[in-house]
Amino acid sequence: MEFRNLGRSGLKISEIAYGNWLTHGSQVEEDAARACVRAALDEGVTTFDTADVYAGTRAEEVLGRALEGQRREGLEIFTKVYWPTGPGVNDRGLSRKHIFESIHGSLRRLRTDYVDLYQAHRFDYETPLEETLRAFDDLVRQGKVLYVGVSEWRAEEIERALKIADEMGFDRIVSSQPQYSMLWRVIEEEVVPLCEREGVGQIVWSPIAQGVLTGKYKPGQPLPEGSRATDDKGGADMIKRYLDDDLLTRVQNLRPVADDLGLSMAQLAIAWTLQNPNVSAAIVGASRPEQVADNVRAAGVKLDADVMKRIDEILGETVIRDAAKTVSPRRRP
């Protein structure tokens, strides 16, 4: 396993992080989830990412039980706050009330006294940003949170938060968690340049584009049974954008590139995201331990400029680059 600093902070994290969105407490049974966590630990993964909303808070519970008994100082545990976790009008968003109540629930479910990184899961247009940042800063002062970050924020939102933190003496954002893959590059034009300048690292999710970049979805063929595209618990909606025969054909054309490098398709996709120097870690999920072992082999892989160019030529205009695709709800859900 290779390790990178989280942004400009002194925290080092495994460049392959394990995430449990759409798996723990949802797609897979707890025994299988625990086996995946054990596999991640065995492979040298120390960074684990979750969120209070995943599987209606059950994902945090499963992860907490799976990590119980591990040396806490040897782990980096990340979670998030924003999406609804209850029926009340204040059970959502980034108000001081919801942030404080949510962190206490997350700590209880994760069976820990603190989280290494607490992330604003979306931007909250209904709460003053100063209120959110002060609440985060208070949690840092209390020792319940060590670092703060954001997920799926636009460049101007990150920039505004950094300015307020500097003016008010709050702890600065050290990380951004966006979707990022060969096919989805919306952060490259605005978010990455800002974050490189300001010392904010990317912890990217869906580096294999919901499984499309593994090559298992074939043009003109039925969807594989049990795949993300057939999942009725939320996975199918996001993957629809990629289920186009032209795109799937181009993805199949990446196979010789992976073969030439002695990599699986998934390893090539994950390694591609790690070539971006602003990326601190790529989050991988799994429903089987062998998937974890395969994905972790992307750690430390270096792709030369010719390979990166060849990938761009193969994917062509199918790549999504529009920065406006990063969107938070105008009103809390």
Side-chain angles (χ1 to χ4, degrees):
M1 180 55 63
E2 302 286 330
F3 294 84
R4 301 184 179 194
N5 283 72
L6 181 53
R8 205 178 287 156
S9 79
L11 180 67
K12 290 190 181 290
I13 63 176
S14 54
E15 66 178 22
I16 305 294
Y18 181 85
N20 69 353
W21 175 57
L22 285 180
T23 51
H24 294 189
S26 177
Q27 281 186 344
V28 301
E29 298 297 328
E30 182 155 348
D31 286 349
R34 289 193 183 205
C36 289
V37 170
R38 283 195 301 272
L41 291 165
D42 289 345
E43 295 289 345
V45 172
T46 61
T47 305
F48 294 84
D49 181 81
T50 187
D52 57 4
V53 72
Y54 294 167
T57 74
R58 294 187 301 279
E60 285 185 328
E61 293 175 353
V62 173
L63 184 62
R65 289 191 288 268
L67 291 175
E68 197 166 24
Q70 297 295 318
R71 181 175 173 270
R72 180 64 182 87
E73 294 82 356
L75 303 174
E76 304 86 46
I77 299 176
F78 301 169
T79 193
K80 312 180 195 72
V81 56
Y82 170 81
W83 294 103
T85 52
V89 293
N90 286 309
D91 293 328
R92 61 206 70 216
L94 297 177
S95 68
R96 183 178 185 85
K97 176 177 172 63
H98 186 53
I99 287 171
F100 270 66
E101 291 172 347
S102 288
I103 189 62
H104 293 141
S106 290
L107 294 177
R108 184 177 63 253
R109 290 186 290 268
L110 289 165
R111 304 187 178 202
T112 183
D113 296 328
Y114 68 94
V115 293
D116 297 88
L117 180 70
Y118 202 35
Q119 303 159 94
H121 210 161
R122 290 296 186 275
F123 189 84
D124 184 359
Y125 292 98
E126 295 189 62
T127 300
L129 190 48
E130 293 83 355
E131 177 181 338
T132 296
L133 296 177
R134 185 179 291 279
F136 278 164
D137 192 69
D138 285 345
L139 292 177
V140 172
R141 302 290 161 246
Q142 293 172 13
K144 295 173 182 176
V145 168
L146 302 188
Y147 298 89
V148 294
V150 300
S151 178
E152 292 295 335
W153 281 29
R154 298 166 74 102
E156 61 267 26
E157 294 161 353
I158 296 171
E159 187 171 36
R160 192 171 140 223
L162 292 168
K163 183 173 186 291
I164 291 170
D166 288 344
E167 290 174 348
M168 302 186 73
F170 297 154
D171 259 42
R172 294 176 112 237
I173 292 165
V174 300
S175 66
S176 163
Q177 187 174 133
Q179 182 180 178
Y180 185 54
S181 70
M182 291 179 187
L183 296 173
W184 188 269
R185 307 188 196 180
V186 305
I187 62 171
E188 289 184 340
E189 184 178 351
E190 298 176 2
V191 169
V192 166
L194 167 71
C195 290
E196 286 180 329
R197 188 167 66 247
E198 296 290 345
V200 176
Q202 310 299 318
I203 310 163
V204 304
W205 61 274
S206 200
I208 58 175
Q210 287 89 58
V212 168
L213 289 170
T214 65
K216 67 183 176 183
Y217 297 97
K218 307 289 177 57
Q221 294 188 21
L223 299 174
E225 278 189 39
S227 67
R228 180 70 55 83
T230 60
D231 171 37
D232 61 359
K233 297 177 182 176
D237 290 340
M238 291 195 66
I239 202 172
K240 285 178 183 175
R241 66 168 74 101
Y242 299 130
L243 300 181
D244 169 86
D245 278 356
D246 175 55
L247 185 151
L248 295 178
T249 299
R250 290 173 183 266
V251 169
Q252 292 301 316
N253 291 338
L254 292 172
R255 194 173 296 280
V257 180
D259 290 344
D260 288 348
L261 295 168
L263 300 173
S264 70
M265 293 276 281
Q267 290 164 0
L268 176 66
I270 296 164
W272 182 92
T273 67
L274 294 170
Q275 305 313 296
N276 187 323
N278 191 228
V279 171
S280 297
I283 300 171
V284 302
S287 56
R288 301 188 309 277
E290 54 268 28
Q291 292 174 323
V292 179
D294 181 71
N295 291 340
V296 166
R297 299 294 178 270
V301 172
K302 305 301 180 189
L303 304 179
D304 63 33
D306 287 344
V307 170
M308 298 293 279
K309 182 181 178 183
R310 190 176 169 196
I311 289 169
D312 284 348
E313 289 171 348
I314 290 169
L315 295 178
E317 296 303 312
T318 61
V319 173
I320 299 168
R321 302 179 185 272
D322 183 6
K325 296 283 186 182
T326 299
V327 179
S328 294
R330 299 306 297 189
R331 298 188 65 81
R332 295 177 195 161

